[in-house]
Amino acid sequence: MSATAVHSLWTTAATAADPISKIPTPKIEYGQLSPTLIILGAALIGVLVEAFVPRKSRYFTQVFVSAVALCAAFAAVLALAADGYGTTKAHIAAMGAIAVDGPSLFLQGVILLSGLVGLFTFAERRLDPEAHGNRVDSFAAQGASVPGSDSEKAAVKAGFTTTEVFPLLLFAVAGMLVFPSANDLLTLFVALEVFSLPLYLLCALARRKRLLSQEAAVKYFLLGAFASAFTLFGIALLYGYAGSMSYSTIAQVVDGSITNINPALADTMGNDALLLIGGAMIVMGLLFKVGAVPFHMWTPDVYQGAPTPVTGFMAAATKVAAFGALLRLLYVVLPGLRWDWRPVMWGVAIITMLGGAIVAITQTDIKRLLAYSSIAHAGFILAGVIATTRDGVSSVLFYLGAYSFVTIGAFAVVTLVRDAGGEATHLSKWAGLGRRSPLVAAVFAVFLLSFAGIPLTAGFAGKFAVFKAAAAGGAAPLVVVGVLSSAIAAFFYIRVIVLMFFSEPRPDGPTVAVPSPLTMATIGVAVAATLVLGVAPQYFLDLANQAGVFVR
């Protein structure tokens, strides 16, 4: 057969089957995805800045680009909410991949605000003494150089700074924006990796105590890789069970309402083992991200070793994104399995609340203490997740908003208390801080009281909301455990306040650095949010309540 004949056969067959017309054109609603697209675009611009802008100008260019992008993305979220996409126009966008609804817009707003105040602490350059006439920040002069090597000393002498941290921050924020709004399992996994990888890198870049920082990053990376593997294996099993990655299709298969069953999948769709094991593995991966016991082992080491601005941002924003994804998974994909997952979540919430609160008592490092405190808070938020009501969703949204500001503010204060070796994080160094620097100690006391859930602070309003929702949802014994855990936790928060205000200052004690307006703004916003959400929370509770309905 001649080449011409083969060619004509090929074209005839192609025309007959006409495969081109059967490939659907993707329909992407760019306006509704604009918050994420703005952040991704700015992150790519940040990468180009590293390549083309002179070294001396990079810091100011990166801070400007990052701040403008975060503000613009937040404005886009507000515009979408004002246009009704959180309520009446809530729908599934990007061909079923992304949900644009109340919970996703609320959580995206919180993540963007956390990213903005976190950015201010990243950009702080007045806390450390100048090195060779150059102002320095919290990050290594040159991330690729070996700690203590000649190349590191040369980089410090030349005044280098790791300005790559700003695009890394933006990539992490972009992944976090997609994570709670993902509406299929593949999008969920891609978002998980997009925000996890920049965080692994950021944890390794501390200027002081670089070996501790690199150890923290390796631990986080290895354990995070395990958690990602569990999540991916769970996704594979759920796909095998339902024959689809889409949340709505999986939910229909779970509750038996699906009509068009693929004959090839008819046998596996009845296999509940795939469903239970797959669902458990994905939930395990998400519980790792929120730092719930027994998946919490990375939290204290990483919080202690990472640069403190990164710890503050990570502690706030990762929890918001991961709890958003967990809520959507349990409420949209697995509501038909409620009787299976609720008892397990009860157990996880109880050991998380008690474990975090009890182990925190033994800590002598302020960053480790705040790490165990964050573990206990994950347990309190799980009480709201277990409620399985609309009030449960809205209480979790409110708690996440309140918690994120208090956390970033607390870690911003930790960056100010310094001695010759950098940050003075050992608790003994904080003795008498209230006499040496009353304002800083008072601000830190406000954050600690909020963590403890004392009335007229954001922490009290948040705890009251989740415990009320849990009690109304039939989880009253869980509320009793939560109140007991809060009482245990209050002991170590108040112990720090007593140490600061009622102990004699040590003669060789640390100094309190005077920060630039950037860190002052972070702490000011955090204090304002803590007090406003505590004294007059009703407007924000109503806002969370309006945003508390998932689109299906």
Side-chain angles (χ1 to χ4, degrees):
M1 191 182 284
S2 70
T4 316
V6 171
H7 183 262
S8 66
L9 276 173
W10 173 255
T11 49
T12 311
T15 312
D18 197 14
I20 305 301
S21 63
K22 292 184 179 170
I23 299 174
T25 310
K27 182 173 177 291
I28 307 295
E29 298 86 342
Y30 292 104
Q32 291 152 42
L33 305 180
S34 56
T36 310
L37 295 177
I38 290 168
I39 297 295
L40 274 174
L44 293 173
I45 291 169
V47 173
L48 294 176
V49 166
E50 287 300 314
F52 296 110
V53 172
R55 196 182 283 276
K56 284 201 179 328
S57 311
R58 281 182 205 166
Y59 165 80
F60 297 103
T61 311
Q62 294 282 25
V63 174
F64 176 76
V65 168
S66 304
V68 168
L70 289 162
C71 291
F74 184 67
V77 168
L78 292 181
L80 287 170
D83 207 14
Y85 283 103
T87 48
T88 51
K89 290 189 189 172
H91 73 122
I92 308 296
M95 299 183 71
I98 302 286
V100 182
D101 57 7
S104 72
L105 289 177
F106 188 95
L107 293 168
Q108 285 180 343
V110 172
I111 289 164
L112 288 165
L113 286 177
S114 302
L116 186 61
V117 289
L119 170 74
F120 293 161
T121 59
F122 275 53
E124 176 61 64
R125 301 181 91 177
R126 284 203 198 159
L127 300 178
D128 268 315
E130 290 188 357
H132 304 285
N134 298 301
R135 286 185 173 168
V136 296
D137 54 19
S138 301
F139 300 98
Q142 194 169 26
S145 59
V146 176
S149 66
D150 291 339
S151 65
E152 184 183 52
K153 289 169 188 164
V156 172
K157 195 170 182 180
F160 290 178
T161 52
T162 306
T163 43
E164 295 96 323
V165 296
F166 298 105
L168 286 173
L169 171 75
L170 291 178
F171 278 120
V173 169
M176 289 173 187
L177 294 180
V178 176
F179 200 52
S181 51
N183 194 60
D184 71 47
L185 294 171
L186 209 54
T187 310
L188 180 85
F189 184 74
V190 170
L192 172 71
E193 294 307 302
V194 168
F195 83 78
S196 295
L197 293 172
L199 289 178
Y200 300 149
L201 287 172
L202 287 168
C203 287
L205 292 174
R207 180 174 286 270
R208 308 285 189 106
K209 303 177 181 167
R210 283 198 63 197
L211 288 173
L212 189 67
S213 169
Q214 290 178 356
E215 181 194 347
V218 170
K219 282 180 179 170
Y220 191 21
F221 170 66
L222 290 175
L223 290 170
F226 272 116
S228 295
F230 274 111
T231 307
L232 196 56
F233 198 55
I235 288 170
L237 292 176
L238 271 192
Y239 179 72
Y241 172 78
S244 173
M245 293 284 186
S246 165
Y247 282 10
S248 55
T249 308
I250 297 169
Q252 287 175 337
V253 176
V254 171
D255 61 23
S257 61
I258 194 162
T259 49
N260 54 339
I261 295 178
N262 184 332
L265 293 163
D267 293 337
T268 57
M269 280 183 178
N271 190 341
D272 286 348
L274 288 177
L275 170 66
L276 292 169
I277 298 169
M281 284 184 151
I282 296 175
V283 169
M284 206 185 295
L286 295 175
L287 289 175
F288 171 87
K289 281 294 169 196
V290 302
V293 178
F295 314 106
H296 69 294
M297 288 304 184
W298 62 276
T299 313
D301 291 337
V302 174
Y303 278 31
Q304 183 184 15
T308 306
V310 175
T311 307
F313 165 71
M314 186 170 70
T318 306
K319 256 195 182 43
V320 176
F323 266 113
L326 184 65
L327 275 174
R328 192 175 296 278
L329 186 78
L330 295 179
Y331 281 56
V332 176
V333 185
L334 304 174
L337 278 187
R338 186 174 302 171
W339 301 111
D340 294 291
W341 63 252
R342 268 192 86 177
V344 177
M345 285 295 178
W346 267 65
V348 171
I350 288 170
I351 60 173
T352 303
M353 288 189 284
L354 289 173
I358 291 168
V359 180
I361 294 173
T362 65
Q363 299 306 308
T364 56
D365 184 278
I366 196 81
K367 284 169 80 173
R368 288 182 79 86
L369 187 143
L370 291 173
Y372 279 104
S373 151
S374 87
I375 292 167
H377 282 282
F380 300 140
I381 300 170
L382 280 172
V385 174
I386 286 165
T388 60
T389 59
R390 179 170 174 169
D391 281 349
V393 177
S394 62
S395 68
V396 169
L397 296 182
F398 178 83
Y399 199 122
L400 289 169
Y403 172 82
S404 58
F405 286 107
V406 181
T407 303
I408 290 179
F411 280 106
V413 173
V414 171
T415 63
L416 303 184
V417 183
R418 311 180 83 80
D419 58 16
E423 290 160 6
T425 56
H426 198 278
L427 269 181
S428 62
K429 304 268 182 77
W430 288 58
L433 191 71
R435 301 186 190 185
R436 183 170 288 153
S437 186
L439 181 61
V440 170
V443 165
F444 197 61
V446 168
F447 295 140
L448 290 174
L449 292 173
S450 182
F451 282 138
I454 303 300
L456 300 183
T457 63
F460 173 76
K463 274 185 186 166
F464 185 80
V466 290
F467 288 164
K468 182 174 172 233
L478 198 63
V479 176
V480 174
V481 176
V483 172
L484 282 173
S485 301
S486 295
I488 296 168
F491 166 75
F492 61 80
Y493 295 128
I494 291 168
R495 187 183 72 181
V496 176
I497 294 173
V498 169
L499 185 75
M500 289 193 298
F501 287 100
F502 300 103
S503 300
E504 286 297 324
R506 288 168 52 167
D508 59 338
T511 56
V512 174
V514 179
S516 70
L518 291 168
T519 298
M520 286 182 187
T522 300
I523 295 171
V525 167
V527 170
T530 304
L531 296 176
V532 168
L533 293 177
V535 175
Q538 198 54 51
Y539 170 77
F540 299 96
L541 285 166
D542 292 342
L543 197 65
N545 197 39
Q546 284 171 12
V549 181
F550 289 102
V551 65
R552 285 181 169 77

